[in-house]
């Protein structure tokens, strides 16, 4: 689809408002819960985190028309893993095992292609490609 094309959209992407903080260290989790007990941000602790996937976007179903001005990839989820440290053995001069640390590594994953669509003066939305159809100007 060319830039500047008039399109009809069936929905658009919005960022979720209740994204949780993930902790791998119980001491840090309890400390933050004590300090920020009345904080609105949800927090939780996962013992032996391993892997955890959290959705960060959702599709809002609403029909509208607009003009395509660009295309961009958008991440739809966070992928959490616990950071591990390699244990080195000086006798065999090699790595023998791994040890989990109290750190969480966060990566954005689940990328989808989206069009940036202007639907009013100075207002735009990110629309997944499969929710866009071209409007014929006949």
């Amino acid at each position: 689809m060319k830039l500047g094309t008039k399109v009809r959209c069936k929905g658009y992407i919005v960022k979720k408002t209740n994204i949780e903080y993930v902790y791998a260290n119980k001491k840090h989790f309890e400390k933050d819960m004590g300090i920020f007990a009345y904080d609105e941000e949800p927090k939780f602790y996962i013992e032996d985190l391993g892997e955890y996937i959290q959705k960060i976007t959702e599709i809002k179903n609403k029909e509208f028309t607009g003009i395509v001005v660009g295309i961009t990839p958008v991440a739809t989820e966070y992928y959490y893993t616990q950071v591990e440290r390699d244990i080195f053995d000086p006798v065999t001069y090699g790595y023998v095992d791994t040890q989990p640390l109290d750190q969480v590594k966060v990566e954005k994953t689940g990328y989808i292609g989206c069009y940036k669509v202007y639907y009013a003066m100075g207002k735009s939305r990110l629309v997944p490609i499969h929710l866009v159809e071209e409007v014929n100007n006949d």
Side-chain angles (χ1 to χ4, degrees):
M1 187 173 302
K2 293 182 181 178
L3 298 181
T5 304
K6 187 170 182 177
V7 293
R8 180 177 296 115
C9 306
K10 297 177 181 151
Y12 59 96
I13 288 187
V14 293
K15 188 172 183 177
K16 289 177 82 172
T17 57
N18 60 343
I19 296 174
E20 300 130 339
Y21 292 115
V22 176
Y23 290 84
N25 181 325
K26 191 166 188 165
K27 184 175 82 175
H28 292 158
F29 172 73
E30 290 171 351
K31 177 181 158 194
D32 282 359
M33 290 306 287
I35 295 171
F36 304 110
Y38 301 105
D39 194 3
E40 296 178 12
E41 300 284 341
K43 300 172 174 56
F44 65 96
Y45 165 71
I46 300 176
E47 191 170 343
D48 299 328
L49 178 66
E51 300 176 349
Y52 178 70
I53 296 174
Q54 178 182 31
K55 290 282 191 190
I56 58 172
T57 60
E58 55 192 11
I59 294 177
K60 185 169 184 178
N61 295 320
K62 182 175 181 178
E63 291 198 18
F64 63 96
T65 58
I67 306 285
V68 173
V69 295
I71 187 168
T72 184
V74 175
T76 60
E77 55 194 23
Y78 286 151
Y79 178 71
Y80 297 93
T81 54
Q82 191 162 4
V83 177
E84 294 181 339
R85 180 182 68 188
D86 293 328
I87 299 173
F88 185 76
D89 183 15
V91 175
T92 61
Y93 202 69
Y95 293 100
V96 293
D97 200 4
T98 59
Q99 175 185 12
L101 299 177
D102 293 337
Q103 298 173 356
V104 177
K105 180 180 177 184
V106 182
E107 297 176 44
K108 290 183 177 181
T109 60
Y111 285 90
I112 60 171
C114 291
Y115 288 120
K116 184 170 185 176
V117 176
Y118 274 92
Y119 64 96
M121 183 64 86
K123 296 183 178 181
S124 66
R125 292 179 174 151
L126 292 173
V127 182
I129 292 174
H130 69 278
L131 296 177
V132 175
E133 61 183 35
E134 191 171 342
V135 175
N136 294 331
N137 292 332
D138 294 336

